């Protein structure tokens, strides 16, 4: 079956839904998602969304937000895109309030704000309350509100449809093919404009804060049609995942005053970031924790975790401002954080890299910013780049909402000029071949084993600290895993809701873009933000102040090119907190 | 520890009858029912079918009936489940598509029917609309609903009459009617003040027992009833 719309958005998280609301004003728009909209992983975000509303700290200003984001990015963020995002932030957040987001309120009835890592006054002097929040359900209420508005504006949804292959010819996007998960069967989606909003890929790592569905499909859908992906070596490890589970304990806890303690009961951040302490950026805290562990100062019999302590905040405050954290600790770790410290360890959390786009969300196909006609991307799957080498907390809900909106506006501006370009003769071929191959596999390999070997080895060899030796080893492991994937066999051959098939398809996506992560990390001989090479411990601005663009050939060979970083007001400086 | 699971199976393509299939699985401490399903699917039987995503109790995908109680599989620890056998079934009262996967369309229809969005046609200010802390607290807990359908599918009034809006939709109605910024109460009352609306709630409390977010659903529905009565009659 073929469906024709002016614009189709793949992904129903914050970025996709925000764009749909914008595009719906002028064109026929549909959103396609492999889940139901309200189940997108944006809903898991707890802490807040950044904007200089000055509701609590009146000295805050946009310029400080811009500076913090640039510095947080370890100077790899593009300053034009960062300026746009921070300038637009207040308007973007007010709009969400007008749509109905039930933000927590100050005494005078304004949106409440809290502290978050890396956000400061006066260029790093003191932590500032910039994160707008709704208790610790911020992502949840934003996602639900956007979905509600889509219902109000009668956006067309294709729920539980998985995008399978992109149709691009001569740098013009024609549409894509998706699979109806509930009924089986492939459908062609013919559109003037297609937008990716497919989110992150934390599932490629063993310990992760991400959902089972965060498998980064959009990235390999792009590389399979010869498009590049950008800065993939930059993966954010969030410092405070629940021990062994990886489930996130929001930075909101530290924003409200939580301590980090090692096995000797020291607030060890004193050694690493004496000014901002627990509110230093995530990359630094993750490395600090990992260093404490490596040097034998962890907690517990295996000294393999540290503690996040919120006991001194008191029960009343914990229940009022971070209730979800309390519930998560009780339900998933059987810990009552009012009485006991919370065991935590770094957890794979966020993808700074992604599908390269212009500041307006138009997908580009080379380092010269040449545009793929009719193709757009925003949110975690995209690389604008507002986060550079390390994202600050609360800047990603903002990125998804602000750049989802901006990309929606760009689509509105373009759609009048775009047309439905002719579809290829057999548009379903690639998707059909892929399904047949997976369904017809008769080998001995099990998907779950390959998936576990993938995420265990990525954690081990491409985690918080990396070396050339480990990455080279991982490159080989990935080759072997690919080979094993060719010999898989899945049990389920059914048409209706074949999640066995879905998981195999998602695994292959991860195997493909992990090669780009690993080779990008091996290639980048420096340490910057979330990418930390113990064999090249310093940032190297002379050689590496540039974005990586990577192409993955059909044979799995990765080639690189580089794109300059846009620098405006802030020249790179040493990054201290 | 090894545990025995009896899991509801139904495959419409195989024309087979619904039945329970037994699986035995080693479940270490901390293992949730979702972890167990994941391992059964991965290691023992890839045809076992269920929905899941976040695995942290926030997306609402994994509602199912476990040992007779509607709950989230990802939030239910195996070691706290008593009895020799753990029964896992789809949420009741909805058409079953396959195994633990139900047809949610009737659920979303009810949700959409109550106009689940802020209605306020006045021009917004250049900043936020003000709302007092007190007014925000009235809707805060209700806004934490994850639309998991554990409540509606546990409700005897809903089982008896599938036209009934059900607790999840009514809770959403409360969340907007009691939002100091909303002006759509009248429009919603038309939907609520019907035989398959509010008045079909007989305060049975099943919904509250089932709700993984511990939301005081029945209390909010009662407040809606009081509001309608006082404004309408
Ligand atoms: C636990 C947690 C807490 C967080 N807390 C914060 C916070 O406090 N503040 C902050 O700023 N950021 C936070 N983040 C980050 C932030 O939530 C995400 O980066 C952001 O929500 C991503 O939004 P998105 O719209 O890009 O993607 P998502 O919300 O992940 O949505 C992706 C969508 O794509 C769809 N999709 C994917 N692949 C396919 C396919 N092949 N076919 C069809 N559909 C597909 C999915 O169904 C889904 O709808 C947090 C992240 C996590 C994991
Ligand atoms: S009210 Fe509770 S049980 Fe009902 S849908 Fe919402 S979260 Fe689920
Ligand atoms: S998997 Fe999301 S609620 Fe259980």
């Amino acid at each position: 079956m073929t469906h024709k719309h002016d614009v189709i958005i793949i992904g129903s998280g914050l970025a996709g839904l925000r764009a749909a609301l914008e595009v719906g004003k002028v064109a026929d728009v549909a959103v396609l998602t492999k889940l139901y909209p309200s189940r997108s992983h944006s809903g898991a975000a707890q802490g807040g969304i950044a904007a200089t509303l000055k509701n609590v700290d009146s000295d805050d200003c946009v310029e400080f937000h811009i500076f913090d984001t640039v510095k947080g990015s370890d100077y790899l963020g593009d300053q034009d895109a960062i300026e746009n995002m921070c300038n637009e932030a207040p308007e973007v957040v007010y709009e969400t309030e007008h749509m109905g987001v039930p933000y927590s309120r100050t005494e005078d009835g304004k949106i409440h704000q809290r502290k978050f890592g890396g956000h400061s006054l006066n260029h790093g002097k003191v932590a500032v309350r910039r994160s707008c929040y709704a208790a610790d359900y911020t992502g949840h209420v934003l996602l639900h509100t956007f979905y509600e508005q889509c219902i109000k504006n009668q956006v067309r949804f294709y729920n539980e449809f998985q995008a399978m292959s992109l149709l691009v010819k001569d740098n013009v996007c024609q549409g894509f093919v998706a699979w109806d998960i509930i009924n089986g069967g492939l459908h062609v989606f013919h559109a003037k404009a297609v937008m990716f909003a497919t989110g992150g890929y934390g599932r490629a790592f063993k310990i992760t804060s991400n959902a089972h569905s965060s498998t980064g499909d959009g990235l390999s859908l792009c590389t399979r049609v010869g498009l590049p992906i950008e800065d993939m070596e930059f993966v954010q490890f969030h410092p405070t995942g629940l021990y062994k589970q990886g489930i996130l304990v929001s930075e909101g806890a530290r924003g409200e005053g939580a301590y980090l303690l090692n096995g000797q009961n020291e607030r060890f951040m004193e050694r690493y970031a004496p000014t901002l302490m627990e509110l230093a950026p995530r990359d630094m805290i993750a490395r600090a924790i990992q260093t404490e562990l490596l040097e034998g100062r962890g907690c517990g019999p295996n000294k393999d975790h540290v503690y996040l302590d919120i006991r001194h905040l008191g029960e009343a405050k914990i229940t009022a401002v971070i209730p979800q954290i309390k519930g998560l600790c009780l339900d998933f770790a059987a810990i009552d954080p009012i009485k006991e410290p919370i065991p935590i360890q770094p957890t794979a959390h966020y993808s700074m890299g992604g599908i390269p786009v212009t500041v307006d969300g138009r997908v580009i196909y080379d380092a010269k910013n040449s545009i793929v006609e009719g193709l757009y991307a925003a949110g975690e799957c995209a690389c604008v780049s507002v986060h550079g080498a390390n994202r600050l907390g609360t800047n990603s809900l903002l990125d998804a909402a602000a750049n989802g909106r901006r990309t929606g506006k760009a689509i509105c501006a373009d759609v009048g000029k775009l047309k439905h370009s002719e579809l290829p003769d057999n548009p379903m071929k690639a998707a059909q071949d892929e399904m047949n191959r997976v369904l017809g596999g008769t080998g001995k390999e099990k998907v779950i084993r390959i998936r576990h070997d993938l995420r265990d080895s990525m954690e081990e060899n491409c985690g918080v600290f990396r070396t050339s030796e480990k990455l080279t080893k991982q490159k080989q492991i990935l080759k072997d895993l690919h080979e094993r994937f060719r010999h898989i066999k899945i049990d389920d051959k059914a048409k209706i809701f074949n999640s066995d098939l879905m998981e195999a398809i998602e695994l292959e996506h991860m195997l493909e873009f992990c090669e780009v992560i690993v080779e990008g990390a091996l290639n980048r001989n420096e340490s910057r933000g979330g990418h930390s090479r113990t064999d090249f411990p310093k940032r190297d601005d002379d050689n590496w102040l540039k974005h990586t663009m990577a192409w993955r050939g059909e044979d799995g060979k990765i080639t690189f090119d580089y794109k300059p970083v846009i620098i405006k007001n802030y020249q790179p400086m040493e990054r201290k907190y | 520890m090894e545990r025995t699971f009896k899991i509801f199976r139904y495959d419409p393509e195989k024309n087979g009858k619904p039945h329970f299939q037994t699986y035995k699985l080693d479940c270490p401490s901390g293992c949730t029912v979702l972890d167990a399903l994941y391992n059964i699917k991965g290691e023992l039987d890839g045809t076992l079918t269920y929905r899941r995503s976040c695995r942290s109790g926030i997306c609402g995908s994994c509602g199912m009936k476990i040992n007779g109680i509607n709950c989230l599989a990802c939030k239910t620890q195996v070691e706290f489940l008593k009895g020799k056998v753990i029964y896992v079934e789809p949420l009741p009262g909805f058409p079953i598509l396959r195994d633990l996967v139900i047809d949610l369309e009737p659920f979303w229809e009810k949700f959409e029917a109550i106009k689940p969005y802020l209605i306020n046609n006045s021009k917004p200010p250049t900043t936020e609309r003000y709302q007092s802390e007190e007014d925000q607290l009235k809707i805060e807990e209700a806004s934490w609903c994850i639309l998991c359908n554990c409540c509606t599918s546990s409700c005897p009034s809903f089982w008896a009459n599938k036209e009934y809006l059900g607790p999840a939709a009514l809770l959403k109605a409360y969340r907007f009617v009691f939002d100091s910024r909303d002006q759509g109460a009248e429009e919603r009352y038309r939907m609520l003040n019907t035989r398959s609306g509010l008045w079909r709630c007989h305060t049975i409390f099943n919904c509250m027992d089932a709700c993984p977010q511990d939301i005081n659903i029945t209390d909010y529905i009662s407040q809606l009833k009081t509001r309608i009565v006082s404004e309408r009659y």
Side-chain angles (χ1 to χ4, degrees):
Chain A
M1 205 201 284
T2 302
H3 308 267
K4 205 165 171 178
H5 294 280
D6 287 343
V7 182
I8 310 179
I9 296 168
I10 309 175
S12 60
L14 243 49
L17 296 182
R18 187 61 192 82
L21 289 172
E22 209 58 40
V23 178
K25 293 176 189 166
V26 305
D28 154 44
V29 61
V31 175
L32 178 136
T33 172
K34 64 180 178 179
L35 304 166
Y36 275 92
S38 61
R39 291 167 183 185
S40 303
H41 205 49
S42 288
Q46 302 164 8
I49 177 166
T52 50
L53 305 187
K54 308 176 211 186
N55 286 353
V56 190
D57 287 328
S58 55
D59 297 341
D60 200 9
C61 67
V62 173
E63 199 263 313
F64 295 158
H65 189 188
I66 296 172
F67 173 82
D68 290 338
T69 304
V70 172
K71 183 177 171 188
S73 80
D74 221 346
Y75 296 90
L76 193 73
D78 287 323
Q79 296 183 18
D80 51 351
I82 293 174
E83 282 180 8
N84 289 339
M85 181 178 81
C86 299
N87 277 319
E88 288 165 15
E91 195 182 309
V92 166
V93 170
Y94 289 140
E95 272 177 9
T96 65
E97 197 280 337
H98 300 154
M99 290 178 192
V101 172
Y103 284 106
S104 298
R105 300 286 168 157
T106 62
E107 268 174 22
D108 46 2
K110 297 180 182 170
I111 295 172
H112 219 321
Q113 298 186 276
R114 60 161 58 114
K115 293 178 188 167
F116 239 78
H119 291 279
S120 69
L121 287 178
N122 286 319
H123 302 187
K125 294 289 183 310
V126 50
V128 68
R129 285 169 283 191
R130 185 180 290 150
S131 161
C132 311
Y133 67 90
D136 52 3
Y137 282 96
T138 315
H140 167 83
V141 293
L142 278 164
L143 178 70
H144 282 242
T145 303
F146 283 6
Y147 179 41
E148 290 156 8
Q149 290 296 310
C150 285
I151 293 175
K152 184 175 182 191
N153 291 293
Q154 298 177 335
V155 172
R156 171 84 161 90
F157 280 97
Y158 293 90
N159 297 327
E160 301 196 310
F161 271 75
Q162 177 132 350
M164 292 285 295
S165 68
L166 190 59
L167 303 171
V168 171
K169 192 175 173 223
D170 300 333
N171 299 313
V172 178
C173 177
Q174 305 151 323
F176 62 95
V177 175
W179 161 41
D180 175 352
I181 300 172
I182 291 189
N183 300 302
L186 293 172
H187 296 234
V188 177
F189 289 84
H190 193 192
K192 295 178 183 171
V194 171
M195 173 180 164
F196 276 103
T198 45
Y201 57 65
R203 280 287 145 180
F205 292 83
K206 181 179 175 196
I207 302 289
T208 177
S209 65
N210 284 196
H212 283 289
S213 54
S214 301
T215 51
D217 309 356
L219 303 165
S220 2
L221 289 182
C222 285
T223 57
R224 283 178 192 174
V225 292
L227 297 174
I229 42 182
E230 180 178 351
D231 287 343
M232 288 294 288
E233 57 272 32
F234 297 101
V235 181
Q236 178 166 82
F237 294 88
H238 191 294
T240 59
L242 266 188
Y243 176 50
K244 284 193 177 161
Q245 303 266 3
I247 292 174
L248 195 74
V249 184
S250 167
E251 194 170 309
R254 280 173 286 133
E256 297 294 346
Y259 299 147
L260 283 167
L261 302 173
N262 64 15
Q264 298 162 4
N265 218 22
E266 284 173 301
R267 276 181 76 186
F268 57 87
M269 282 313 295
E270 226 148 52
R271 276 198 287 282
Y272 304 90
T275 310
L276 289 187
M277 296 285 289
E278 280 87 357
L279 288 174
R282 292 178 177 169
D283 57 333
M284 289 195 160
I285 301 190
R287 282 195 293 278
I289 293 175
Q290 210 66 17
T291 307
E292 293 295 305
L293 299 182
L294 289 171
E295 293 177 1
R297 291 187 294 275
C299 306
N302 299 326
K303 299 193 185 304
D304 55 357
H305 58 277
V306 296
Y307 284 135
L308 181 74
D309 194 352
I310 60 173
R311 289 173 295 182
H312 56 284
L313 302 180
E315 181 165 0
K317 184 162 182 184
I318 293 172
T319 314
V321 297
I322 44 176
Q324 192 181 173
I325 293 181
K326 184 176 130 194
L328 287 172
C329 292
L330 286 167
D331 291 330
F332 296 98
I335 294 268
D336 181 354
I338 293 166
K339 302 198 185 93
E340 301 156 87
I342 311 165
I344 52 110
Q345 72 185 114
T347 183
H349 184 58
Y350 187 81
S351 153
M352 267 76 72
I355 303 166
V357 291
T358 66
V359 289
D360 294 315
R362 297 185 178 97
V363 172
I364 57 175
Y365 65 82
D366 63 17
K368 293 198 271 323
N369 283 323
S370 311
I371 287 167
V372 183
E373 195 179 294
L375 191 60
Y376 304 79
E380 191 168 339
C381 72
C383 182
V384 190
S385 152
V386 285
H387 308 302
N390 172 62
R391 160 173 86 82
L392 293 187
T394 69
N395 263 354
S396 137
L397 290 179
L398 175 60
D399 172 21
N403 287 313
R405 172 179 179 256
R406 215 180 155 81
T407 304
K409 286 186 195 296
I411 296 175
C412 291
D414 295 353
V415 74
K417 287 168 281 174
L418 294 169
K419 54 181 195 311
H420 282 99
S421 25
E422 203 181 323
L423 291 170
D425 284 344
N426 187 357
M428 295 194 197
K429 185 170 186 319
Q432 192 67 62
D433 287 351
E434 181 181 5
M435 287 180 106
N436 291 346
R437 180 165 47 82
V438 175
L439 284 168
T442 53
K444 288 208 167 59
E445 292 287 349
K446 272 186 173 302
V447 167
I448 192 172
R449 300 276 164 74
I450 303 178
R451 182 164 63 231
H452 287 189
D453 289 348
L454 170 70
R455 58 189 215 193
D456 292 1
S457 61
M458 285 299 286
E459 185 87 25
E460 173 67 28
N461 297 320
C462 196
V464 175
F465 288 120
R466 302 159 171 183
T467 62
S468 144
E469 197 185 341
K470 282 185 173 180
L471 292 165
T472 310
K473 186 168 147 202
Q474 186 62 13
K475 204 173 139 179
Q476 186 56 45
I477 291 176
L478 289 175
K479 286 219 157 48
D480 298 345
L481 291 174
H482 262 288
E483 185 52 33
R484 282 171 59 192
F485 188 84
R486 293 172 36 152
H487 303 285
I488 56 164
K489 175 166 182 260
I490 63 168
D491 294 343
D492 198 352
K493 315 285 181 195
K495 262 173 89 75
I496 295 178
F497 219 100
N498 190 337
S499 46
D500 214 19
L501 175 60
M502 179 169 94
E503 290 184 358
I505 287 169
E506 290 172 341
L507 172 62
E508 195 170 22
H509 284 302
M510 293 196 285
L511 288 170
E512 291 181 14
F513 66 71
C514 279
E515 289 182 342
V516 183
I517 299 177
V518 169
E519 294 201 32
L522 188 57
N523 189 45
R524 189 176 274 273
N525 288 335
E526 66 158 352
S527 290
R528 182 187 296 271
H531 170 64
S532 180
R533 286 274 301 265
T534 42
D535 44 353
F536 293 95
K538 289 233 160 54
R539 192 175 82 197
D540 175 1
D541 288 333
D542 291 339
N543 294 304
W544 286 105
L545 187 59
K546 58 188 179 189
H547 298 290
T548 307
M549 304 277 278
W551 286 258
R552 183 182 183 278
E554 264 173 49
D555 52 357
K557 195 170 156 14
I558 315 278
T559 44
F560 294 110
D561 195 0
Y562 303 95
K563 203 164 74 102
V565 175
I566 307 293
I567 295 182
K568 292 182 74 178
N569 291 338
Y570 303 105
Q571 290 302 320
M573 292 189 306
E574 197 195 343
R575 199 162 150 251
K576 276 201 211 132
Y577 286 93
Chain B
M1 198 172 93
E2 191 182 85
R3 298 294 299 260
T4 303
F5 292 84
K6 282 197 193 283
I7 303 181
F8 179 92
R9 303 298 311 268
Y10 167 62
D11 183 351
E13 288 167 72
K14 291 226 172 94
N15 222 349
K17 278 207 288 288
H19 63 283
F20 281 90
Q21 190 163 346
T22 306
Y23 301 94
K24 287 184 193 303
L25 187 79
D26 188 47
C27 299
S29 170
C31 173
T32 64
V33 172
L34 184 66
D35 294 333
L37 294 174
Y38 171 91
N39 283 313
I40 292 171
K41 183 178 181 66
E43 300 287 358
L44 305 176
D45 184 352
T47 66
L48 179 64
T49 304
Y50 55 91
R51 288 192 176 99
R52 86 289 180 265
S53 184
C54 72
R55 69 79 164 84
S56 58
I58 192 68
C59 77
S61 301
C62 68
M64 49 190 84
K65 192 160 131 187
I66 300 173
N67 280 355
I69 294 171
N70 288 2
C71 58
L72 298 178
C74 71
K75 238 180 161 174
T76 307
Q77 303 260 340
V78 173
E79 59 182 315
F80 300 144
L81 293 171
K82 297 204 182 68
K84 274 214 187 97
V85 176
I86 298 165
Y87 285 90
V88 185
E89 297 164 77
L91 291 177
F94 284 80
I96 296 166
L97 294 176
R98 186 178 174 189
D99 295 352
L100 304 170
V101 176
I102 56 174
D103 180 4
L104 284 165
E105 286 315 311
F107 178 76
W108 298 114
E109 265 167 37
K110 309 277 161 33
F111 171 72
E112 292 189 19
I114 59 91
K115 306 200 172 188
Y117 37 79
L118 190 83
I119 299 177
N120 184 328
N121 296 323
S122 62
K123 192 172 178 299
T126 49
T127 65
E128 64 270 70
R129 290 192 169 103
Y130 288 1
Q131 180 171 53
S132 70
E133 285 176 280
E134 198 190 348
D135 281 340
Q136 193 271 341
L137 282 178
K138 283 187 197 146
I139 57 165
E140 180 170 74
E141 191 189 54
S143 74
W144 295 343
C145 166
I146 59 174
L147 298 174
C148 66
N149 188 24
C150 286
C151 54
T152 299
S153 62
S154 76
C155 175
S157 301
F158 174 75
W159 300 337
N161 180 345
K162 296 287 164 62
E163 297 299 306
Y164 173 41
L165 289 171
L170 294 177
L171 178 75
K172 193 54 94 179
Y174 167 90
R175 178 250 173 274
F176 286 106
V177 170
F178 280 75
D179 189 326
S180 59
R181 303 166 295 176
D182 187 85
Q183 304 167 339
E186 276 300 322
E187 294 176 46
R188 292 194 191 89
Y189 291 165
R190 258 174 268 144
M191 244 82 64
L192 297 171
N193 199 10
T194 63
R195 292 185 51 176
S196 47
L198 260 184
W199 309 109
R200 226 164 247 286
C201 167
H202 300 306
T203 332
I204 304 170
F205 292 107
N206 272 18
C207 54
M208 285 181 56
D209 291 339
C211 179
Q213 293 289 78
D214 290 330
I215 299 171
N216 274 312
I217 311 170
T218 320
D219 182 40
Y220 293 126
I221 295 178
S222 302
Q223 289 191 48
L224 257 185
K225 288 178 180 166
T226 317
R227 170 76 66 99
I228 288 205
V229 172
S230 67
E231 288 190 9
R232 280 262 156 139
Y233 302 102

